[in-house]
Amino acid sequence: MLKVSIWRGVDEGEFIDYEVPMRANQTVLDIVTEVQRNQEPDLAYRFACRVGVCGSCAMTVNGRPRWTCRSHVNDVIDGDRLVLEPLRSHPRIRDLVVDLAPFFETWKGSGAVFKPSATRDDKPVKITADDPARKNADAGIECINCAVCYSACDVVSWDKNYLGPAALNRAWTLVNDAKHGERKETLNKALGDGGCGSCHSMGNCTRNCPVGLSPSAGIAGLKKFALRGLPKVEKP
Amino acid sequence: MTVVRGLFIAQRYSAMLLAPFVLIHLALIIIVVRNGLTAEEILSRTNGSTLWFVFYVAFVLAVTVHAPIGVRNVLNEWTRLSGGVVNVICLCLALLMLSTGLRAVFAVT
Ligand code: SF4
Ligand code: SF4
Ligand code: FES
């Protein structure tokens, strides 16, 4: 049997212990689902795709933020114990569910909002796969907005002003994107208040990103652009 | 260009100057102490020296730019002081560093 402690409540609450049978190839999300189906029908948690695509199942598992659907119990278990808590640095809603609205607000703060540089009547920009700016953008483009990096970041946890790794990673992809019409504005926002200057470059975001992206590399790149200016891209 | 971005750039460039400056300054101190020079002997070498004057004025200017921006970041991150108060504190710090630093440079060169 697995011993699973799950946070019940909102800010006030307690860990409740459950026992769940061990099975082959169990993910942490399987465990939560098993508890909810068989022992605690009103346990609140969130998931959708179950295959690491939607980014909605992230929780704190034995102290570290993870996608629960892609975390195998065997890889994350501590002895025979699993401790499950909501993601840190987000307002809590109930049990394992947090409110991601403030997280998505940070994307506006960092200028990570796409503005087209052309209309449907214009010819599309020609971007080759080996274009250096495109390669920069590609390095960060696969983000699925799961907020794991944001929750892993210590600066986010203590500095309410800080935009965090995910929003800055997205800004990094946009300043390198020839199709984005406000590259300069995005760079200025990403380097503005609560932006890249607040990052301590310790790389917890990169260490924990389940996709293997490196938001800290994007932030370092944005800092370089602060000194050198934006890279050249194809004109629309 | 935002103010924060401007400060970031100023801090980076001043750091680029400070890195060699600090090394030269430290090397100088070690050489002087090792050779057991007295205060008079040191002053006789620095007085009227354009080279040391230019070097230390540049040093003081770089410190005046670099340090208060860093202190501003630390205060903004670690205290609940408002942005305006932090800016005033850091401006005062910059003036203090500039005036005491230049005073020292004029005194020995
Ligand atoms: S950068 Fe990685 S950890 Fe952060 S939100 Fe995107 S996918 Fe999740
Ligand atoms: S490198 Fe920057 S963004 Fe990433 S965890 Fe550290 S402080 Fe946060
Ligand atoms: S449920 Fe979609 S990423 Fe885990």
Side-chain angles (χ1 to χ4, degrees):
Chain A
M1 289 297 242
L2 275 168
K3 296 200 174 64
V4 189
S5 301
I6 301 182
W7 179 259
R8 302 293 323 271
V10 190
D11 292 321
E12 304 277 301
E14 58 182 334
F15 283 101
I16 308 277
D17 293 337
Y18 304 91
E19 295 214 332
V20 180
M22 282 212 191
R23 300 181 208 282
N25 293 324
Q26 246 166 341
T27 67
V28 176
L29 185 62
D30 293 336
I31 302 278
V32 182
T33 302
E34 176 135 7
V35 170
Q36 193 264 342
R37 297 245 167 110
N38 299 332
Q39 305 184 35
E40 198 77 84
D42 71 342
L43 176 66
Y45 69 112
R46 192 189 272 139
F47 73 95
C49 71
R50 293 179 295 124
V51 288
V53 171
C54 70
S56 58
C57 66
M59 299 169 201
T60 306
V61 181
N62 282 355
R64 272 180 70 172
R66 294 179 182 278
W67 295 346
T68 50
C69 71
R70 294 295 294 269
S71 299
H72 277 265
V73 170
N74 291 340
D75 296 336
V76 297
I77 198 155
D78 182 8
D80 60 352
R81 280 199 81 79
L82 269 183
V83 181
L84 305 180
E85 300 164 73
L87 273 186
R88 122 180 131 144
S89 299
H90 304 274
R92 294 177 174 190
I93 295 177
R94 187 164 71 84
D95 301 343
L96 298 168
V97 180
V98 294
D99 179 6
L100 289 171
F103 168 68
F104 288 113
E105 279 301 311
T106 63
W107 294 51
K108 290 184 203 154
S110 74
V113 180
F114 180 76
K115 290 273 155 47
S117 59
T119 68
R120 66 178 66 208
D121 304 319
D122 299 309
K123 263 203 177 151
V125 201
K126 208 168 140 198
I127 302 171
T128 54
D130 56 359
D131 178 66
R134 187 63 232 172
K135 282 189 179 163
N136 285 341
D138 281 346
I141 204 73
E142 300 286 350
C143 169
I144 64 166
N145 322 344
C146 66
V148 162
C149 55
Y150 184 87
S151 174
C153 176
D154 283 339
V155 179
V156 165
S157 78
W158 67 60
D159 182 353
K160 291 293 151 256
N161 214 5
Y162 182 41
L163 298 164
L168 293 172
N169 175 70
R170 179 69 183 134
W172 167 247
T173 65
L174 285 178
V175 300
N176 281 294
D177 186 349
K179 301 184 291 333
H180 180 44
E182 297 188 346
R183 295 168 65 229
K184 220 189 250 155
E185 290 78 358
T186 298
L187 183 63
N188 275 335
K189 283 195 178 165
L191 294 163
D193 252 332
C196 297
S198 302
C199 167
H200 286 210
S201 313
M202 297 214 295
N204 251 1
C205 49
T206 300
R207 181 158 179 252
N208 286 281
C209 172
V211 188
L213 304 184
S214 178
S216 49
I219 293 169
L222 287 164
K223 287 179 178 172
K224 257 188 216 145
F225 289 170
L227 300 179
R228 294 192 197 152
L230 285 168
K232 284 216 163 36
V233 294
E234 293 293 329
K235 286 261 162 12
Chain B
M1 171 92 60
T2 59
V3 176
V4 186
R5 180 174 171 191
L7 290 176
F8 175 78
I9 294 173
Q11 201 190 21
R12 280 293 156 112
Y13 281 126
S14 56
M16 283 178 205
L17 291 176
L18 280 172
F21 285 3
V22 169
L23 290 179
I24 295 172
H25 181 61
L26 286 177
L28 187 75
I29 294 174
I30 291 168
I31 292 168
V32 168
V33 170
R34 284 254 171 143
N35 290 345
L37 292 184
T38 64
E40 279 95 62
E41 283 167 328
I42 295 172
L43 282 176
S44 73
R45 282 158 212 227
T46 56
N47 271 334
S49 159
T50 323
L51 180 72
W52 288 126
F53 176 77
V54 171
F55 174 75
Y56 276 109
V57 167
F59 198 138
V60 168
L61 291 179
V63 172
T64 303
V65 171
H66 188 81
I69 300 176
V71 172
R72 179 178 178 273
N73 290 342
V74 173
L75 290 179
N76 276 333
E77 189 175 318
W78 284 101
T79 67
R80 283 158 189 268
L81 298 173
S82 76
V85 174
V86 168
N87 286 345
V88 171
I89 293 176
C90 292
L91 208 61
C92 293
L93 186 67
L95 290 175
L96 184 74
M97 287 178 155
L98 187 68
S99 55
T100 51
L102 288 183
R103 194 170 148 247
V105 175
F106 282 110
V108 298
T109 56

